[in-house]
Amino acid sequence: MTETILANAKLILPTEVVHGSLRIQAGVITAIDQGAGVPIGAIDCEGDFISPGLIELHTDNLERHIEPRPKVSWPHASAIIAHDAELASVGITTVYDALRVGSVVSNTKANYGEYARLLADEILDLRHKGALRISHFLHLRAEVCSETLTAELAKFGPEDRIGIVSLMDHTPGQRQFRDMTQLRAYVCGKHGLSEHEFEAHVEGQIALTQRLGVEHEAAAVQAARRFGAVLASHDDTTAEHVATSARHGAGFAEFPTSLEAASACRDAGIAVMMGAPNLIRGGSHSGNVAAQDLAKADLLDIVSSDYVPSALLSAALRLGDIWGNLARGIRTVTAAPAAATGLSDRGALGLGQRGDVIRIKPFADSARLLGTWVQGQRVG
């Protein structure tokens, strides 16, 4: 029987930190003991912290590996394996790989096409072959403001390990891009549009939502039920947005853009997730509400690395400082995302839990990761 013992460590338990050791056998935690002793065969952690492995619900990191430079496509298998290894190296042991469904194919310059089904097949195939270090699920980002959402969703089923479907609505002038100046800078910078082309793009997107938005929103909600996945809202800005999310049965809210929306989520029993880069940078790059302000208002439940994988652990430690409670900070990247997606076998150091753990040495304003174990096996 494979056994891993991590001893003389500060164990970050769900509500406290204790000095002790833990034992992992056959992939699960079988013992947690207090004390500084180091049994024969154990790894002496020299007083470092041991935390549950981090759980990532929304990351755009795979896209960066698939397209390392604009219009440069990288071989998908290599990209997926590199993405997986990077996540293991920063302490993420479970990931929901975010894939956009819903494309716009009629605009030749700002066009974005379908890719999710093919990439999902490749992720699942590599997982089946044992080529990946950490646990992978799928997160379908359902783009309401698109032309092909319903058809793309129809290509997926309950067998595809889809844990999350998020309702994305990037219609210009609302939610994330209420500020048209921000939208102009983003779209023109990404696609090289002229002012005339940008205005045409905005008109076209608004018309698309008016024509298909209601149908697409209903299709995404129904698809989440069909997959057995958790539904998430995205970029809720007003109390009305949150009320709609609640009617749809959203389990958590990704990146609400205002204090009003976050407060409404709390009242509706919807967990609030914010981005780690927002917290680390001290504000949103889109000019929306700052994650640290929600944390100080007790309106932050879950953190996602979003587009910087290494930020996830740093954000949890930063929250521990803000709240004066390290265990609470770590819960935002372990137990809370596990609960939001129904993963009862991980996210905490507890008997019978998966042996997904990380070893952390705090360093300045960040931390040095000294080891990642998945089901007791060293992977990073």
Side-chain angles (χ1 to χ4, degrees), residues 169-184 198 202 206 235-239 241 255-261 284 286-290:
D169 185 355
H170 288 106
T171 306
Q174 50 91 61
R175 295 183 183 260
Q176 182 180 2
F177 289 118
R178 288 175 293 167
D179 185 338
M180 296 297 285
T181 302
Q182 292 276 0
L183 177 63
R184 179 180 288 102
F198 171 73
V202 168
I206 292 173
D235 291 339
D236 285 343
T237 301
T238 66
H241 287 158
F255 321 133
T257 68
S258 68
L259 180 63
E260 175 190 349
S284 164
S286 299
N288 296 317
V289 70

Side-chain angles (χ1 to χ4, degrees), residues 58-79:
H58 177 129
T59 173
D60 301 335
N61 189 59
L62 180 54
E63 296 178 1
R64 180 172 62 83
H65 285 278
I66 294 293
E67 189 176 342
R69 288 190 175 181
K71 300 182 181 179
V72 173
S73 180
W74 202 252
H76 285 185
S78 295

